[in-house]
Amino acid sequence: MDHTSAREPMAWPFYKESASREQSAPARHVPRRTTLPGVRSVPVTELPGVGPRIAAALKDLGIISVADLVSHYPSRHEDLSNVKRISDLRVGERVTVVGRVVSVKKVGRPVRGRTPGLSVQLYDGTGYMPVTVWGRGWLLNQLIPDTWVVVSGEVQSRYGLQLAARNLEVIDDPATVGDNAHAGRFVPVYPVNKGINARRMRTLVHRALEVSGRILDPLPANVLASYGLPNLHDAIHEVHFPDDRERLRAATRRLVFHELFLIQTGLAARKARLEKTEYGRSHKGDGRLLNPFLNGLPFGLTGAQERVIGEVLEGMRSEKPMRRLLQGDVGSGKTVVAVAALLSAVEAGGQGAIMAPTEVLAEQHFISISAALKDLPVNVVLITGSQNLTERREALEAVKSGEAQIVVGTHALIQKGVEFRDLSLVVVDEQHRFGVGQRAIFKEKGATPDTLVMTATPIPRTLSLTLYGDLEVSLLDELPPGRKPVETRMVELPERDEAYEAVRAKLEAGRQAYVICPLVEESEALEDVRAAEELYEELSGVIFPERRVGLLHGRMKTAEKREVMAAFRARKIEVLVATVVVEVGVDVTNASAIVVEGAERFGLSQLHQLRGRVCRGHHPPKCFLVGDPKTEDSLKRFEALVEHQDGFKLSEVDLAIRGEGTLFGSRQSGMPDLKVAKLLRDIDILVEARRAAFELVATDSTLKNPEHRPLRREVRELLGADIEWLFKE
Ligand code: ADP
Ligand code: MG
């Protein structure tokens, strides 16, 4: 055991350095130097003591290879390192004592022939001490007098001092107490399952570390030196069996850095690769469209809009392809930025496309963009999946000939058959609904179009750095003036009527309202449609029989949807019952109340988006979250919404509630799950890892230097085949 050789010998009268530190049975397969990907090919069954039953239990935990065991990190450590002499013990202390068995007897009533507990008399050269330990009755026959044991527990006073032990281990030699995986040290506590107990897991990890031999470090030595990081071998050993808290901390930091550094290296390599192989379009607009558009707006731009438009136009002027993420909370005015960019593309003689995640939203963009540009010589067309054939053919023709300068659409835009004459800018609205991978689909022959990805789902900055590590980020961090905070209430079912009474008051004052159906499936299954129809019946027939109520759901035909939205905009519909199709972007300023039914079934960011539908008008808006928050988490979500309006704050709360592990598992991100790093906790390390990775890739973009080969291997291993092409010359 390498890592313990640095340990100071225990200051004990009878403890000597022992010549033999071999504690566990020697493994069959012992490579001397390994890499983690290397031991991935060694199955756990190579380890002594792992038969089919244990192997199956490990498999349930996702552990198949020795490498998996080595990187099955403990969830916490128990500090059993406070080793004391019996003569020094004080009541109430939690200690570890090493001594010899003097005598032993059973305690407690046997259950099914098994003795539940033992009372052991212990002697350590400084004194005698009675020890009770439960759940270790099976050790009775091993505890013959003079056997060495190490026990940990609390010192209690009962007819003199005694130790209530939580753990008792038989050891061969007191000098090796620090080598024992289970006692006299910081003892790791692992995530386990039914088939495998904590002790066994500890033993297995201990063996796996031995089998792995010396683990080679794929990170370049100068990176370790600049960031003051221990090498990988030491870090892995210390994370499992740390010598003290300080080393545990350093080791954890190293592993977090390691994980983030590998991801960032992949991103940096991708960025370098794209910049090398692609050339973009330099948009040199002359302002002939942009200026009249901006001057004609019925409002002044916010400072943030001005800054971001500047950033976007500058990116478009550059010859490099622009890849920019625009983050702006619900209602921050992203559409204006998008239109400015689209006009700039048109001025430079290109075509601009804007994609929205739903037809409703594409339709709305089409209407509002056409209206905003009605006095300008710009041709805007709409393409959606459900247009009739003639409409669609005409639109496609116009896109192909270049007659259509701005093209608005849904995913249908990226399907085959849409041919552009000269696509030079793509705007993707509400990015969180798309997979990141779809950005690439627009890549055709010739210059790479500039890309502007807009998202209202506020991703904390740290996350966006990681998720979109190869994108520039622009931030719309200011809402237009006059935005009202949305008064948000949690409404339990018995009070549902009160919520609708409050809505009634709004309607009487001439406002409009949304009622959102409890729906979680984006697919809009038939049952959901039926539920929407039922809610519609209830609202139009029972709750608001005197009002004009409309229904909007994803299964309706485009023409129907269009009609309903137009009627709602024209205030012919006063209450719109809708499924989540209105979640994103729908903008009707006279709507100032929203009721979300079954709100516990929605995610936090979805609820925030929904609430954003009513924050834009001139009237104090209200939001009612009707539901039964059954779980702790849904209650926390509700409380967060009642308390906060700021989307960035909310997304941090969301992250904290959901835990971060799953974020990267989402198919959207294309990124591996994080095993050790926690983004909110580890922001500083992320920033360092990112800087280090980008610096490294700047000097060797394909990691072809011999000293970078091990790194290249691990990045590939982690990010998978998707990034294979990155490393081709
Ligand atoms: P989002 O960022 O959610 O897409 P939109 O672009 O839809 O926001 O804008 C929301 C509303 O705010 C729209 O009605 C838009 O006309 C209005 N708006 C945008 N910018 C401003 C501004 N600077 N001042 C006032 N209203 C604005
Ligand atoms: Mg929008």
Side-chain angles (χ1 to χ4, degrees), residues 297-303 305 326-338 361 364-365 368 429-430 454-456 476 478-483 584-589 609 612-613 615-617:
L297 286 175
F299 44 74
L301 295 179
T302 63
Q305 280 170 321
L326 171 55
Q327 270 183 259
D329 203 350
V330 177
S332 59
K334 294 182 291 296
T335 316
V336 172
V337 177
L361 189 52
Q364 174 175 307
H365 274 326
S368 62
D429 194 13
E430 309 296 356
M454 309 203 291
T455 180
L476 268 185
E478 180 186 351
L479 292 179
R483 285 286 143 81
V584 282
V586 172
D587 187 22
V588 174
T589 47
Q609 294 269 339
R613 295 315 105 219
C615 73
R616 310 175 176 213

